[in-house]
Amino acid sequence: MLTIEKNAVQRYLENKLHTRGNEEPICAYVYDLDRLKEHAETIKQSLPPFCRLYYAVKANPERPILETLEPIIDGFEVASQGEMTKLGTLTEKPMLFGGPGKKDQEIRAALQTNVEYLNVESFHELNRMAYIAEQMDVRIPVLIRVNLSTNVSESHIRMSGVPTQFGVDERDIPALITKALGCEHIDIKGFHFHAMSNNLDAEAHLKFIQLCIEKSLYWREEFKLDAPIINVGGGIGINYWDPEQPFDWSVLAEGLHRFHHYYEKENLTLFLEIGRYMTAECGSYLAEVLDVKTNHGEHFAVLRGGSHHLRLPAAWKISHPFEVYPVEDWRYPFERPGIMGDVVTVAGELCTPNDVLVRKEHVQQLRAGDVMIFRFAGAYGWTISHHDFLSHPHPDHVFIKKD
Ligand SMILES: Cc1ncc(COP(=O)(O)O)c(C=O)c1O
């Protein structure tokens, strides 16, 4: 599977190295759309019939990505009117609208597009939704976003089980349901539990889903709700530390099949809204090494590019997985700086020591003029980065597919 991605990157590099002008260092996002299609289809086909597969647009909202996923998935999770607009001319598939800071205008826009459910994340938001729905004379189908009381995973970013701005404290859910039931224009259709980011443990994810099901069934029973939807969000991880030990999707998929009895008996639908796990692997970020030098006894490589294009490793203070693509051509008449069999920190072109993509990792060889390929850059890569800091030109964005 990786070979396809490598080939796409390789094809781009070979072509670019051949055709570029002498002055232009390589800097690009390269996406393998065939790989994405195949991956999304595998995920979709592995799910039991009571599961709906949504894509969390925030992970990567580039149009070719959305176009590739659109025929495969059941719908999209959006977090802003901007994301709704990006989908506007592309799909009639349903959207789910979540996020802790929805503006009145966004709620109105959601009601005028194919948004199927809106998450309600606080008492004030419920009041605002009810108010807007009354003005527009519509009913709003909502999923109540729960901030669970229990800690749900070992993931280092959690939205639930800890104090955060997301959702309604589990202890306040009965009060929120009571209030929503009193709102003529609000229909409670289920619960939403997105709780973590980058979970690598499939068994832990299954336990979390089981907890979501049990909580939902309890509130359904307690309040006699006709609320069939349980949205367990995303949060499935990429092992940036050890890519050879990925999240075991087959364990998750098999475990979901085992929940079948709940769904037959209780008539439930389970929504997954996956971002990172869907698109991370199809994208690579490529950056040419501009310089290699030694300061205070440590080696540093400096890239054409950096955290303003790929912010994730700087934000998480990790080394991003990489490969070195050796380029034999050397454009100058003087010596080429480089290191052999040594440890290097790889920095970007920004004027801040935080602009680091790789921290003290071993390389066999790294020279100015080589290209570094950062894998798993297809999710939360370009879209979360501060592109215009220092006003360097943006990278190329290349979307490759066979035909
Ligand atoms: C509400 C919601 N759903 C789904 C996702 C996607 O999560 P992930 O990319 O971890 O799958 C996010 C990410 O922030 C989210 O906020």
Side-chain angles (χ1 to χ4, degrees), residues 30 51 78 386:
V30 177
C51 285
V78 294
H386 44 294

Side-chain angles (χ1 to χ4, degrees), residues 102-104 107-108 111 118-142 176-188:
K102 301 178 197 72
K103 273 63 75 188
D104 288 1
I107 295 169
R108 282 196 199 92
L111 297 173
L118 285 81
N119 288 353
V120 59
E121 304 228 7
S122 75
F123 284 85
H124 178 54
E125 195 171 76
L126 177 64
N127 279 336
R128 287 199 295 122
M129 283 185 187
Y131 179 69
I132 291 167
E134 191 179 349
Q135 284 176 340
M136 292 176 72
D137 195 21
V138 293
R139 296 177 72 82
I140 304 190
V142 298
L176 189 102
I177 295 175
T178 307
K179 188 172 171 61
L181 288 173
C183 297
E184 198 190 324
H185 293 265
I186 298 290
D187 283 333
I188 303 173

Side-chain angles (χ1 to χ4, degrees), residues 56 58 77 145 192 194 197 234-236 273-276 380:
K58 59 176 77 73
E77 185 264 348
R145 181 158 181 188
H192 182 283
H194 177 70
S197 194
I236 291 150
E273 40 185 36
I274 295 178
R276 186 185 312 277
Y380 306 111

Side-chain angles (χ1 to χ4, degrees), residues 82-237:
E83 289 185 350
M84 286 177 223
T85 307
K86 284 185 174 164
L87 291 169
T89 55
L90 183 103
T91 184
E92 292 185 356
K93 288 200 168 163
M95 301 181 216
L96 307 170
F97 181 30
K102 301 178 197 72
K103 273 63 75 188
D104 288 1
Q105 172 52 32
E106 289 182 309
I107 295 169
R108 282 196 199 92
L111 297 173
Q112 285 158 353
T113 61
N114 40 334
V115 170
E116 194 180 21
Y117 303 108
L118 285 81
N119 288 353
V120 59
E121 304 228 7
S122 75
F123 284 85
H124 178 54
E125 195 171 76
L126 177 64
N127 279 336
R128 287 199 295 122
M129 283 185 187
Y131 179 69
I132 291 167
E134 191 179 349
Q135 284 176 340
M136 292 176 72
D137 195 21
V138 293
R139 296 177 72 82
I140 304 190
V142 298
L143 306 182
I144 296 174
R145 181 158 181 188
V146 182
N147 188 329
L148 289 164
S149 300
T150 36
N151 207 331
V152 285
S153 87
E154 295 305 312
S155 307
H156 74 285
I157 299 179
R158 297 184 208 131
M159 295 80 182
S160 181
V162 285
T164 66
Q165 67 271 46
F166 300 105
V168 176
D169 189 322
E170 183 180 333
R171 287 162 293 197
D172 296 329
I173 293 291
L176 189 102
I177 295 175
T178 307
K179 188 172 171 61
L181 288 173
C183 297
E184 198 190 324
H185 293 265
I186 298 290
D187 283 333
I188 303 173
K189 288 296 182 192
F191 298 91
H192 182 283
F193 293 92
H194 177 70
M196 67 195 93
S197 194
N198 213 49
N199 180 28
L200 293 172
D201 182 343
E203 292 291 355
H205 216 79
L206 282 169
K207 277 196 199 126
F208 159 67
I209 293 174
Q210 173 133 18
L211 181 69
C212 300
I213 295 171
E214 284 164 7
K215 295 282 176 192
S216 302
L217 289 180
Y218 171 77
W219 289 314
R220 235 167 68 133
E221 177 64 25
E222 194 71 4
F223 289 91
K224 302 282 169 271
L225 301 174
D226 174 21
I229 312 299
I230 301 178
N231 185 333
V232 295
I236 291 150

